[in-house]
Amino acid sequence: MSLRGVVRRALGSLVHRLWAAVRTAGAVTPVSPAGYRFRRLGKGACLSFPLGAVFGEAWIEVGDHTLIGERVSISAGMGPGVDLGPDSIVRIGGSCSIGRGSHIVGHQSIDIGDDVFTGPYVYITDQNHVYDDPEAPIGRQWPRNNPVSIGSGSWLGTGAIILPGTRIGRQCVVAGGAVVRGEFPDHSVIAGIPAKVVRHYVPGQGWLPPHMEVVETANVIDTETGVISR
């Protein structure tokens, strides 16, 4: 290997080592100074570096052993320095994994259960703009809030958008790119724009489309005619 190659290899190794050290030092954990700003940052929880836009920490709770990926934005309220009252607004459960580049934007109430995993670039918000006044710029009209909840054990695919007022049950799958609004029961597969249930779990029968559900009944024999009915 030429001298130039040796130098280049050494510099590359040094850069990677330095970047790894920066990522470790910049991560937010329960024992780092930035961790104390949160309402709760559970044991073993970590916000990876580099961070996204994070503010309103006093109204954000993160459960034990939850991993927040790089460049994830988590916010409570419209901006830093606003008093949002006595209660937390964004609550992320324990043992969750939030994919890199995702956004969790809370103004009233966002509840994410335990063991919820997301792909990258998922967007979750409890606030939306309105367009009631056709003359006023939409960005200047006062938005509306509607709480969001995501049940424990659920998976949200890459690029999914969870809109205000959505309630997703336990152990649900949200397909990548879905735009979700409304209420969805436990054990649902949710997909599409707008999203709808495309599979649901039926005990003893597995995951079925919503229009299919086989009802098993015992055979009944008419003793007079000998006809077998179900």
Side-chain angles (χ1 to χ4, degrees):
M1 182 181 293
S2 67
L3 177 61
R4 187 176 193 180
V6 171
V7 171
R8 184 172 182 176
R9 184 171 181 177
L11 286 174
S13 178
L14 178 62
V15 167
H16 285 291
R17 287 171 181 265
L18 287 172
W19 179 241
V22 167
R23 290 180 62 194
T24 300
V28 177
T29 69
V31 297
S32 63
Y36 292 109
R37 295 201 292 264
F38 285 80
R39 171 69 62 93
R40 178 174 182 264
L41 191 58
K43 178 181 177 181
C46 177
L47 280 75
S48 302
F49 183 86
L51 304 175
V54 179
F55 59 83
E57 294 96 323
W59 292 272
I60 298 172
E61 299 182 29
V62 180
D64 297 347
H65 306 294
T66 284
L67 174 64
I68 310 294
E70 296 178 5
R71 297 180 176 86
V72 170
S73 295
I74 308 177
S75 61
M78 301 291 279
V82 179
D83 186 349
L84 302 174
D87 300 322
S88 58
I89 289 176
V90 175
R91 293 168 292 278
I92 304 173
S95 300
C96 295
S97 178
I98 308 300
R100 68 184 181 278
S102 295
H103 289 64
I104 302 173
V105 183
H107 297 84
Q108 181 178 355
S109 177
I110 295 178
D111 265 304
I112 299 175
D114 298 329
D115 300 296
V116 172
F117 286 67
T118 86
Y121 309 111
V122 168
Y123 186 82
I124 303 170
T125 185
D126 63 358
Q127 185 179 88
N128 211 347
H129 291 284
V130 299
Y131 46 89
D132 297 338
D133 186 343
E135 302 302 326
I138 292 170
R140 297 186 183 280
Q141 298 187 47
W142 196 254
R144 292 196 185 99
N145 301 329
N146 206 342
V148 167
S149 67
I150 299 170
S152 295
S154 293
W155 162 261
L156 280 62
T158 300
I161 299 174
I162 312 300
L163 295 175
T166 297
R167 299 179 62 86
I168 297 173
R170 297 175 58 255
Q171 302 288 125
C172 289
V173 174
V174 177
V179 179
V180 186
R181 184 175 185 176
E183 298 193 14
F184 301 87
D186 297 348
H187 302 102
S188 297
V189 178
I190 304 160
I193 304 174
K196 61 182 180 180
V197 175
V198 296
R199 291 285 190 278
H200 67 150
Y201 184 76
V202 180
Q205 300 175 39
W207 294 89
L208 301 176
H211 63 280
M212 291 181 62
E213 183 172 344
V214 179
V215 179
E216 296 291 343
T217 58
N219 290 341
V220 178
I221 301 177
D222 189 311
T223 55
E224 292 185 0
T225 64
V227 174
I228 299 175
S229 59
R230 295 182 65 87

